[in-house]
């Protein structure tokens, strides 16, 4: 049995990692909403973020290669275009539509609607036979659907256009994370490490989203004084700087999730994600002026009950069926996958062994 000092150190480290995850996860939501108030080009913003994530992923891969002395995986063009492209396109549309919706809806409505992605993840995981059907899934679906209905019913800040965008993003997110699970579980591709996955996804995501940007924002952006028609250098540098912060936050989110799961467990991330939704709505009502009625709060509570039930069911079934079962996460729009440790990372190996008693099925969640 661990001594009290070791338990205290483990607890403090877990709390620190959760807070580190919250900084990036909640931060990027509020930051994108704030940026959209003055910069009405969400697709261009997303393209900038993808470029930054690709550059940071490449730098991280290079650092890992120098540290381990082993080359990182580089896919062939055949595998890249046939197996990565569908995941990249779905991911690009999910992120692009989510950022686009910030032009129309509040953070609270975005958070609540985006939570419904678990319904689509469940649907597509059943279609791809990644999830085994059980009667409790009907209750989970009813709770989340009812909660979403109560949250949007007679909402004073409801916007149909933004709501449809987020709902469509959630639907595509179900495809995205199901394809991502299939992609990362193919051992022959060697994309188990999330940094390698992000590195390979970003270029195709950029190409997939670029035509939509050309159709919707290119002409307007080219005549805007935000970038191409600036008369002074300082406003241009300010715009580029503010856009870059979002890209750093997006990369930090993926890294913080990886760090949290590798040092604790997937269950810790799932529970932290539930409390993150609560924190996001509380901050939205206080900082952003979002107005919520008692019925809205009740709907949010019902939705969280459905998500919490799914977390409990996933934990129960994974414990009974052993660590080989690969399952989708209950947190939308996120996915849990086994954390396959790199041979050269001795520190990660020892850390994972230390926490095997917390969760036999070590998993990683990507954003």
């Amino acid at each position: 049995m661990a001594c009290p000092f070791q338990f205290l150190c483990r607890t403090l480290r877990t709390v620190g990692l959760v807070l580190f995850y919250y900084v990036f996860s909640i931060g990027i939501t509020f930051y994108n909403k704030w940026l959209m108030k003055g910069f009405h080009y969400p697709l261009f913003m997303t393209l900038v973020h993808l470029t930054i994530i690709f550059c940071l992923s490449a730098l991280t891969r290079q650092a890992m290669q120098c540290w381990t002395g082993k080359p990182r995986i580089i896919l062939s063009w055949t595998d890249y275009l046939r197996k990565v492209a569908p995941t990249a396109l779905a991911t690009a549309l999910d992120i692009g539509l989510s950022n686009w919706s910030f032009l129309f809806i509040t953070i609270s409505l975005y958070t609540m609607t985006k939570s419904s992605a678990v319904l689509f993840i469940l649907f597509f995981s059943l279609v791809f036979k990644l999830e085994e059907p059980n009667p409790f899934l009907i209750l989970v679906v009813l709770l989340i659907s009812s909660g979403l209905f109560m949250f949007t019913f007679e909402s004073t800040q409801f916007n149909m256009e933004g709501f449809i965008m987020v709902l469509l993003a959630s639907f595509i997110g179900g495809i995205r994370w199901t394809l991502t699970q299939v992609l990362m579980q193919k051992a022959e591709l060697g994309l188990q490490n999330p940094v390698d996955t992000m590195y390979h996804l970003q270029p195709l995501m950029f190409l997939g989203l670029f035509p939509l940007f050309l159709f919707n924002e290119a002409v307007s952006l080219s005549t805007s004084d935000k970038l191409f028609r600036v008369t002074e250098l300082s406003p241009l540098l300010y715009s580029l700087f503010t856009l870059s912060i979002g890209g750093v936050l997006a990369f930090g989110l993926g890294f913080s999730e990886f760090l949290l799961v590798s040092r604790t467990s997937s269950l810790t991330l799932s529970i932290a994600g539930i409390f993150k939704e609560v924190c996001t709505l509380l901050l939205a009502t206080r900082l952003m002026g979002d107005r919520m009625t008692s019925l809205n709060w009740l709907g949010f509570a019902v939705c969280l009950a459905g998500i919490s039930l799914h977390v409990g069911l996933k934990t129960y079934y994974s414990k009974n069926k052993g660590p080989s079962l690969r399952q989708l996460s209950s947190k939308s729009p996120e996915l849990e996958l086994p954390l396959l440790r790199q041979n050269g990372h001795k520190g990660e190996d020892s850390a994972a062994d230390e926490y095997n008693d917390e969760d036999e099925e070590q998993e990683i969640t990507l954003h």
Side-chain angles (χ1 to χ4, degrees):
M1 181 179 296
C3 68
F5 179 74
Q6 291 177 325
F7 176 78
L8 178 62
C9 290
R10 178 181 297 184
T11 302
L12 291 176
R13 180 164 62 175
T14 300
V15 171
L17 291 173
V18 169
L19 294 178
F20 185 61
Y21 159 66
Y22 278 9
V23 167
F24 290 104
S25 183
I26 299 177
I28 194 173
T29 299
F30 281 87
Y31 188 82
N32 286 343
K33 176 63 177 179
W34 170 82
L35 186 61
M36 287 298 98
K37 290 183 177 180
F39 188 85
H40 299 162
Y41 304 99
L43 299 180
F44 179 78
M45 179 191 73
T46 305
L47 293 178
V48 174
H49 290 179
L50 296 179
T51 303
I52 294 174
I53 294 173
F54 175 76
C55 294
L56 293 177
S57 299
L59 291 174
T60 305
R61 277 165 50 94
Q62 189 63 36
M64 294 169 64
Q65 182 171 317
C66 294
W67 178 262
T68 62
K70 296 182 179 180
R72 307 304 304 175
I73 184 69
I74 297 180
L75 296 181
S76 65
W77 281 107
T78 302
D79 288 337
Y80 189 54
L81 295 177
R82 293 180 56 187
K83 300 179 180 179
V84 178
T87 305
L89 180 60
T91 305
L93 292 175
D94 179 14
I95 297 175
L97 288 172
S98 297
N99 290 336
W100 198 349
S101 69
F102 278 127
L103 291 176
F104 308 99
I105 63 174
T106 61
I107 289 180
S108 56
L109 181 57
Y110 169 84
T111 301
M112 182 65 187
T113 309
K114 198 66 174 174
S115 297
S116 67
V118 67
L119 300 178
F120 303 111
I121 293 176
L122 281 173
F123 173 76
F124 286 107
S125 62
L126 289 173
V127 171
F128 284 88
K129 297 182 179 180
L130 300 173
E131 182 90 22
E132 295 184 4
N134 65 77
F136 291 103
L137 291 181
I138 300 177
L139 180 59
V140 171
V141 171
L142 289 177
L143 286 173
I144 297 177
S145 302
S146 301
L148 182 61
F149 174 78
M150 287 188 288
F151 190 87
T152 57
F153 183 73
E154 294 185 353
S155 175
T156 58
Q157 295 175 304
F158 180 78
N159 181 282
M160 179 60 71
E161 187 175 1
F163 175 73
I164 292 177
M165 282 186 180
V166 182
L167 205 59
L168 182 59
S170 298
F171 175 80
I172 297 175
I175 304 175
R176 165 196 178 183
W177 290 115
T178 305
L179 291 176
T180 302
Q181 181 176 14
V182 174
L183 181 69
M184 295 185 68
Q185 285 181 357
K186 291 181 178 179
E188 67 274 11
L189 293 180
L191 296 181
Q192 288 79 20
N193 190 292
V195 175
D196 294 325
T197 305
M198 288 191 290
Y199 174 81
H200 283 85
L201 283 176
Q202 306 312 306
L204 288 177
M205 289 172 61
F206 188 98
L207 294 177
L209 198 61
F210 192 71
L212 186 59
F213 159 73
L214 290 179
F215 176 78
N216 188 72
E217 294 180 1
V219 176
S220 177
L221 183 63
S222 64
T223 58
S224 171
D225 58 359
K226 295 293 183 181
L227 287 177
F228 295 107
R229 293 187 62 189
V230 294
T231 56
E232 297 180 4
L233 181 60
S234 56
L236 175 61
L237 294 178
Y238 177 77
S239 297
L240 294 177
F241 176 73
T242 53
L243 287 171
S244 300
I245 292 178
V248 175
L249 289 174
F251 179 82
L253 176 60
F255 177 77
S256 64
E257 290 175 332
F258 169 75
L259 190 63
L260 176 59
V261 178
S262 64
R263 300 303 181 186
T264 57
S265 68
S266 60
L267 179 60
T268 301
L269 181 59
S270 297
I271 296 174
I274 295 175
F275 284 101
K276 184 203 70 177
E277 306 286 6
V278 177
C279 293
T280 301
L281 258 70
L282 291 176
L283 289 174
T285 55
R286 292 184 176 273
L287 300 180
M288 307 298 291
D290 291 10
R291 297 186 298 273
M292 295 178 58
T293 65
S294 299
L295 182 62
N296 297 151
W297 282 110
L298 178 60
F300 179 65
V302 171
C303 186
L304 283 188
I307 295 174
S308 302
L309 175 61
H310 192 47
V311 171
L313 289 173
K314 298 302 291 183
T315 304
Y316 174 78
Y317 283 114
S318 65
K319 293 294 184 183
N320 284 347
K321 295 183 179 181
S324 61
L325 185 63
R326 294 181 170 98
Q327 299 175 327
L328 289 171
S329 167
S330 61
K331 280 303 300 143
S332 65
E334 300 168 70
L335 171 72
E336 294 183 353
L337 295 165
L339 176 60
L340 303 182
R341 300 186 297 272
Q342 302 295 320
N343 293 331
H345 295 174
K346 296 181 180 179
E348 293 181 8
D349 290 350
S350 59
D353 292 338
E354 178 183 352
Y355 292 104
N356 274 346
D357 58 335
E358 292 185 30
D359 191 356
E360 291 182 357
E361 184 183 357
Q362 292 292 330
E363 298 167 310
I364 184 163
T365 304
L366 299 176
H367 219 285

Short mmCIF file of all heavy atoms in Angstrom, two decimals, residues 91-115:
data_model
loop_
_atom_site.label_atom_id
_atom_site.label_comp_id
_atom_site.label_asym_id
_atom_site.label_seq_id
_atom_site.Cartn_x
_atom_site.Cartn_y
_atom_site.Cartn_z
N THR A 91 -12.35 15.55 -40.03
CA THR A 91 -11.82 16.38 -38.95
C THR A 91 -11.84 17.86 -39.33
O THR A 91 -12.20 18.72 -38.52
CB THR A 91 -10.38 15.96 -38.60
OG1 THR A 91 -10.37 14.56 -38.29
CG2 THR A 91 -9.86 16.74 -37.41
N ALA A 92 -11.45 18.17 -40.56
CA ALA A 92 -11.43 19.55 -41.03
C ALA A 92 -12.83 20.16 -41.01
O ALA A 92 -13.03 21.31 -40.56
CB ALA A 92 -10.84 19.63 -42.43
N LEU A 93 -13.83 19.41 -41.47
CA LEU A 93 -15.20 19.92 -41.48
C LEU A 93 -15.75 20.08 -40.07
O LEU A 93 -16.46 21.06 -39.78
CB LEU A 93 -16.09 18.98 -42.29
CG LEU A 93 -15.83 18.93 -43.79
CD1 LEU A 93 -16.70 17.88 -44.46
CD2 LEU A 93 -16.07 20.30 -44.42
N ASP A 94 -15.43 19.16 -39.19
CA ASP A 94 -15.86 19.25 -37.79
C ASP A 94 -15.32 20.52 -37.14
O ASP A 94 -16.07 21.32 -36.56
CB ASP A 94 -15.40 18.00 -37.03
CG ASP A 94 -15.80 18.03 -35.56
OD1 ASP A 94 -16.65 18.86 -35.18
OD2 ASP A 94 -15.25 17.22 -34.79
N ILE A 95 -14.03 20.73 -37.23
CA ILE A 95 -13.40 21.89 -36.61
C ILE A 95 -13.84 23.18 -37.29
O ILE A 95 -14.14 24.19 -36.64
CB ILE A 95 -11.87 21.75 -36.63
CG1 ILE A 95 -11.44 20.54 -35.80
CG2 ILE A 95 -11.20 23.02 -36.10
CD1 ILE A 95 -9.96 20.25 -35.85
N GLY A 96 -13.90 23.17 -38.62
CA GLY A 96 -14.28 24.36 -39.36
C GLY A 96 -15.68 24.82 -39.04
O GLY A 96 -15.93 26.01 -38.78
N LEU A 97 -16.65 23.90 -39.03
CA LEU A 97 -18.03 24.25 -38.70
C LEU A 97 -18.18 24.68 -37.25
O LEU A 97 -18.96 25.59 -36.93
CB LEU A 97 -18.94 23.06 -38.99
CG LEU A 97 -19.19 22.75 -40.47
CD1 LEU A 97 -19.94 21.43 -40.62
CD2 LEU A 97 -19.96 23.88 -41.14
N SER A 98 -17.41 24.05 -36.36
CA SER A 98 -17.47 24.44 -34.95
C SER A 98 -17.01 25.88 -34.76
O SER A 98 -17.65 26.67 -34.06
CB SER A 98 -16.61 23.48 -34.11
OG SER A 98 -17.11 22.16 -34.17
N ASN A 99 -15.89 26.23 -35.37
CA ASN A 99 -15.39 27.60 -35.27
C ASN A 99 -16.33 28.58 -35.98
O ASN A 99 -16.52 29.71 -35.51
CB ASN A 99 -13.99 27.70 -35.86
CG ASN A 99 -12.94 27.01 -35.01
OD1 ASN A 99 -13.12 26.83 -33.82
ND2 ASN A 99 -11.84 26.61 -35.63
N TRP A 100 -16.91 28.17 -37.08
CA TRP A 100 -17.83 29.02 -37.84
C TRP A 100 -19.05 29.37 -36.99
O TRP A 100 -19.57 30.50 -37.06
CB TRP A 100 -18.23 28.29 -39.10
CG TRP A 100 -18.81 29.15 -40.18
CD1 TRP A 100 -19.21 30.47 -40.07
CD2 TRP A 100 -19.07 28.77 -41.53
NE1 TRP A 100 -19.69 30.91 -41.27
CE2 TRP A 100 -19.61 29.90 -42.19
CE3 TRP A 100 -18.87 27.59 -42.25
CZ2 TRP A 100 -19.98 29.88 -43.53
CZ3 TRP A 100 -19.24 27.57 -43.59
CH2 TRP A 100 -19.78 28.70 -44.22
N SER A 101 -19.51 28.42 -36.20
CA SER A 101 -20.73 28.63 -35.41
C SER A 101 -20.57 29.73 -34.37
O SER A 101 -21.56 30.32 -33.92
CB SER A 101 -21.14 27.33 -34.72
OG SER A 101 -20.21 26.97 -33.70
N PHE A 102 -19.33 30.04 -33.98
CA PHE A 102 -19.11 31.07 -32.98
C PHE A 102 -19.54 32.45 -33.46
O PHE A 102 -19.69 33.37 -32.66
CB PHE A 102 -17.63 31.11 -32.57
CG PHE A 102 -17.26 30.08 -31.55
CD1 PHE A 102 -16.20 29.22 -31.77
CD2 PHE A 102 -17.97 29.97 -30.37
CE1 PHE A 102 -15.85 28.27 -30.83
CE2 PHE A 102 -17.64 29.01 -29.42
CZ PHE A 102 -16.57 28.16 -29.65
N LEU A 103 -19.74 32.61 -34.76
CA LEU A 103 -20.24 33.87 -35.28
C LEU A 103 -21.70 34.09 -34.91
O LEU A 103 -22.19 35.23 -34.94
CB LEU A 103 -20.09 33.93 -36.81
CG LEU A 103 -18.67 34.01 -37.38
CD1 LEU A 103 -18.73 33.96 -38.90
CD2 LEU A 103 -17.99 35.29 -36.92
N PHE A 104 -22.41 33.01 -34.55
CA PHE A 104 -23.86 33.09 -34.39
C PHE A 104 -24.36 32.73 -33.00
O PHE A 104 -25.41 33.24 -32.59
CB PHE A 104 -24.55 32.17 -35.42
CG PHE A 104 -24.10 32.39 -36.83
CD1 PHE A 104 -23.15 31.54 -37.42
CD2 PHE A 104 -24.60 33.43 -37.58
CE1 PHE A 104 -22.74 31.73 -38.72
CE2 PHE A 104 -24.18 33.63 -38.89
CZ PHE A 104 -23.25 32.79 -39.47
N ILE A 105 -23.69 31.86 -32.29
CA ILE A 105 -24.26 31.34 -31.05
C ILE A 105 -23.36 31.65 -29.85
O ILE A 105 -22.20 32.03 -29.99
CB ILE A 105 -24.49 29.81 -31.12
CG1 ILE A 105 -23.16 29.08 -31.29
CG2 ILE A 105 -25.45 29.48 -32.24
CD1 ILE A 105 -23.30 27.56 -31.24
N THR A 106 -23.94 31.47 -28.67
CA THR A 106 -23.21 31.70 -27.43
C THR A 106 -22.37 30.48 -27.08
O THR A 106 -22.57 29.39 -27.63
CB THR A 106 -24.20 31.98 -26.29
OG1 THR A 106 -25.05 30.83 -26.11
CG2 THR A 106 -25.06 33.20 -26.59
N ILE A 107 -21.45 30.67 -26.15
CA ILE A 107 -20.61 29.56 -25.70
C ILE A 107 -21.45 28.49 -25.02
O ILE A 107 -21.19 27.29 -25.18
CB ILE A 107 -19.52 30.09 -24.75
CG1 ILE A 107 -18.48 30.90 -25.54
CG2 ILE A 107 -18.83 28.93 -24.01
CD1 ILE A 107 -17.37 31.45 -24.69
N SER A 108 -22.46 28.90 -24.25
CA SER A 108 -23.28 27.92 -23.54
C SER A 108 -24.04 27.02 -24.52
O SER A 108 -24.09 25.80 -24.35
CB SER A 108 -24.26 28.63 -22.60
OG SER A 108 -25.05 29.56 -23.32
N LEU A 109 -24.63 27.62 -25.57
CA LEU A 109 -25.34 26.81 -26.56
C LEU A 109 -24.37 25.93 -27.34
O LEU A 109 -24.67 24.77 -27.65
CB LEU A 109 -26.11 27.71 -27.52
CG LEU A 109 -26.92 27.00 -28.61
CD1 LEU A 109 -27.92 26.04 -27.99
CD2 LEU A 109 -27.64 28.01 -29.50
N TYR A 110 -23.19 26.46 -27.64
CA TYR A 110 -22.17 25.67 -28.33
C TYR A 110 -21.76 24.46 -27.48
O TYR A 110 -21.69 23.34 -27.97
CB TYR A 110 -20.95 26.54 -28.63
CG TYR A 110 -19.75 25.77 -29.11
CD1 TYR A 110 -19.60 25.42 -30.44
CD2 TYR A 110 -18.75 25.36 -28.21
CE1 TYR A 110 -18.50 24.70 -30.88
CE2 TYR A 110 -17.65 24.65 -28.64
CZ TYR A 110 -17.53 24.32 -29.98
OH TYR A 110 -16.44 23.60 -30.40
N THR A 111 -21.48 24.70 -26.20
CA THR A 111 -21.03 23.63 -25.31
C THR A 111 -22.08 22.54 -25.19
O THR A 111 -21.78 21.34 -25.26
CB THR A 111 -20.71 24.21 -23.93
OG1 THR A 111 -19.70 25.21 -24.04
CG2 THR A 111 -20.24 23.11 -22.98
N MET A 112 -23.32 22.96 -25.01
CA MET A 112 -24.40 22.00 -24.84
C MET A 112 -24.63 21.19 -26.12
O MET A 112 -24.74 19.96 -26.08
CB MET A 112 -25.68 22.74 -24.45
CG MET A 112 -26.86 21.83 -24.19
SD MET A 112 -26.56 20.79 -22.75
CE MET A 112 -27.98 19.71 -22.85
N THR A 113 -24.68 21.86 -27.26
CA THR A 113 -24.95 21.17 -28.52
C THR A 113 -23.79 20.25 -28.88
O THR A 113 -24.00 19.14 -29.39
CB THR A 113 -25.19 22.18 -29.64
OG1 THR A 113 -26.18 23.13 -29.22
CG2 THR A 113 -25.67 21.49 -30.90
N LYS A 114 -22.58 20.70 -28.65
CA LYS A 114 -21.41 19.89 -28.98
C LYS A 114 -21.37 18.62 -28.13
O LYS A 114 -20.82 17.59 -28.57
CB LYS A 114 -20.15 20.72 -28.75
CG LYS A 114 -18.91 20.18 -29.45
CD LYS A 114 -19.03 20.24 -30.96
CE LYS A 114 -17.71 19.84 -31.60
NZ LYS A 114 -17.81 19.76 -33.06
N SER A 115 -21.95 18.67 -26.94
CA SER A 115 -21.99 17.47 -26.09
C SER A 115 -22.82 16.37 -26.72
O SER A 115 -22.65 15.19 -26.37
CB SER A 115 -22.55 17.83 -24.71
OG SER A 115 -21.73 18.75 -24.05
#
